[in-house]
């Protein structure tokens, strides 16, 4: 299934894609959140004939594909070729940082550069959404705890990230720096999360091309590691790192300007598009 949340900011309603047709799920579930991403509810949704659901007319905004989540956990430098382009060593363990929940927006919402930003960068990433509470799980069964997968643009302000004294969170958590969606694709439709092609263009020029096969730590290994540190709750989002081609790795480094358009895609999970604006 492809689950969505559609409507104005703060008033999103749950939906399901029926091919190219958006169907309303608000008569079945309240929202797409940790409360509704358990296996029992997902099985119930799969049993519904989508043609019996109301069709949503027009072209509504698609919000982030998961609402009211608890944690947004991010893994850094998880592709060896991306680590090399940034001059970083291959990590021995997954590098963890957090992105503020207030950074999360829809897949087609604007990305807004914060005041003073000169080094805003792009990162296409595979997002993983937890469906079952996970504590001390092994990599052998870790994927059973996943509700689904999505596209994430881990937008980053590199000066804030590296030069403002502190952790990476400063450069990762600016408002709008977490476009998520457009769909939450349930795990039964993703046969192998370690074999998904991914790409990102800026103004029509290909910047990133990669595949999740080149991750240093697999999705299962990441879940094993994180669940050994903290309980992962239904609805928690994990973003798993980016392939090479980010702006800071170019010679010379290249960053986003107002008016630039990012378009990104992961195989089977959909496309995103954001225009860059400047904060007032």
């Amino acid at each position: 299934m492809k689950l969505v949340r559609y409507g104005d900011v703060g008033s999103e309603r749950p939906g399901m894609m029926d091919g190219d047709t958006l169907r309303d799920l608000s008569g079945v579930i309240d929202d797409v959140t940790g409360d509704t991403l358990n296996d029992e509810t997902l099985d119930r949704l799969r049993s519904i004939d989508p043609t019996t659901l109301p069709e949503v007319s027009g072209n509504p905004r698609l919000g982030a594909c998961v609402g009211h989540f608890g944690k947004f956990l991010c893994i850094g430098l998880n592709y060896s070729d991306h680590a090399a382009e940034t001059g970083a060593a291959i990590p021995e363990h997954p590098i963890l940082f957090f992105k503020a929940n207030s950074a999360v927006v829809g897949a087609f919402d604007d990305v807004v550069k914060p005041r003073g930003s000169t080094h805003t960068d792009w990162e296409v990433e595979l997002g993983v959404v937890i469906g079952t509470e996970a504590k001390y799980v092994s990599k052998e069964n870790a994927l059973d705890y996943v509700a689904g997968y999505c596209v994430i643009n881990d937008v980053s302000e590199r000066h804030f990230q590296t030069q403002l004294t502190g952790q990476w969170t400063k450069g990762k958590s600016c408002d709008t720096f977490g476009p998520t969606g457009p769909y939450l694709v349930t795990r039964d439709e993703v046969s192998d999360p370690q074999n998904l092609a991914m790409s990102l263009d800026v103004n029509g020029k290909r910047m990133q091309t990669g595949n999740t096969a080149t991750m240093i730590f697999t999705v299962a290994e990441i879940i094993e590691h994180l669940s050994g540190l903290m309980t992962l709750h239904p609805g928690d989002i994990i973003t798993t790192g980016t392939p090479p081609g980010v702006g800071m790795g170019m010679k010379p480094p290249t960053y986003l300007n107002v008016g630039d358009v990012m378009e990104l895609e992961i195989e089977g999970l959909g496309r995103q598009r954001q225009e860059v604006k400047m904060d007032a």
Side-chain angles (χ1 to χ4, degrees):
M1 290 182 297
K2 291 183 174 67
L3 302 178
V4 301
R5 301 173 66 249
Y6 70 94
D8 295 337
V9 176
S11 301
E12 291 91 348
R13 298 162 64 94
M16 173 193 295
M17 298 306 300
D18 175 19
D20 293 330
T21 301
L22 174 59
R23 304 278 182 179
D24 180 60
L25 274 176
S26 57
V28 183
I29 56 175
D30 293 332
D31 200 351
V32 181
T33 69
D35 291 336
T36 56
L37 290 175
N38 56 80
D39 285 344
E40 180 181 356
T41 300
L42 293 178
D43 285 343
R44 179 161 59 92
L45 295 180
R46 289 187 191 97
S47 70
I48 296 173
D49 178 354
T51 62
T52 64
L53 298 170
E55 182 176 343
V56 179
S57 61
N59 187 30
R61 168 187 174 270
L62 296 182
C65 59
V66 182
H68 309 294
F69 56 90
K71 297 187 285 293
F72 197 127
L73 300 145
C74 308
I75 305 300
L77 299 177
N78 195 30
Y79 289 72
S80 56
D81 35 13
H82 170 57
E85 74 175 344
T86 63
I90 301 299
E92 295 183 17
H93 308 282
I95 294 173
L96 173 64
F97 61 94
F98 287 79
K99 188 180 283 280
N101 291 20
S102 55
V104 175
V105 293
F108 304 100
D109 292 342
D110 293 334
V111 163
V112 180
K113 292 178 65 173
R115 293 180 183 178
S117 170
T118 56
H119 293 70
T120 298
D121 205 348
W122 55 84
E123 295 189 13
V124 59
E125 304 201 4
L126 172 66
V128 180
V129 179
I130 297 297
T132 301
E133 184 175 300
K135 181 71 171 178
Y136 299 127
V137 304
S138 68
K139 63 183 179 182
E140 286 74 22
N141 64 356
L143 297 186
D144 294 340
Y145 293 80
V146 173
Y149 302 91
C150 61
V151 183
I152 292 175
N153 189 353
D154 177 22
V155 184
S156 309
E157 215 299 339
R158 302 302 189 185
H159 180 80
F160 295 2
Q161 178 184 350
T162 63
Q163 302 298 319
L164 292 190
T165 310
Q167 299 179 342
W168 288 6
T169 299
K170 288 184 178 181
K172 300 286 190 170
S173 291
C174 304
D175 294 348
T176 75
F177 273 26
T180 300
Y183 317 122
L184 176 64
V185 181
T186 52
R187 72 172 188 265
D188 57 297
E189 294 197 5
V190 180
S191 60
D192 184 3
Q194 300 309 146
N195 186 26
L196 300 175
M198 52 206 310
S199 64
L200 184 145
D201 298 347
V202 177
N203 299 329
K205 180 180 179 181
R206 180 59 46 89
M207 297 298 187
Q208 290 186 274
T209 301
N211 191 292
T212 57
T214 64
M215 283 184 182
I216 298 168
F217 304 103
T218 66
V219 172
E221 289 169 338
I222 290 167
I223 293 173
E224 178 184 66
H225 182 74
L226 294 180
S227 72
L229 304 173
M230 67 194 80
T231 301
L232 303 177
H233 293 103
D236 285 352
I237 300 171
I238 305 168
T239 191
T240 56
T242 198
V246 299
M248 72 177 298
M250 296 182 176
K251 301 186 185 305
T254 302
Y255 297 109
L256 292 165
N257 296 307
V258 172
D260 286 347
V261 173
M262 293 175 283
E263 296 177 281
L264 48 155
E265 181 176 12
I266 296 180
E267 180 182 357
L269 304 184
R271 299 176 58 88
Q272 294 190 357
R273 183 185 187 279
Q274 301 101 31
E275 183 175 347
V276 178
K277 302 289 181 68
M278 179 58 76
D279 206 358

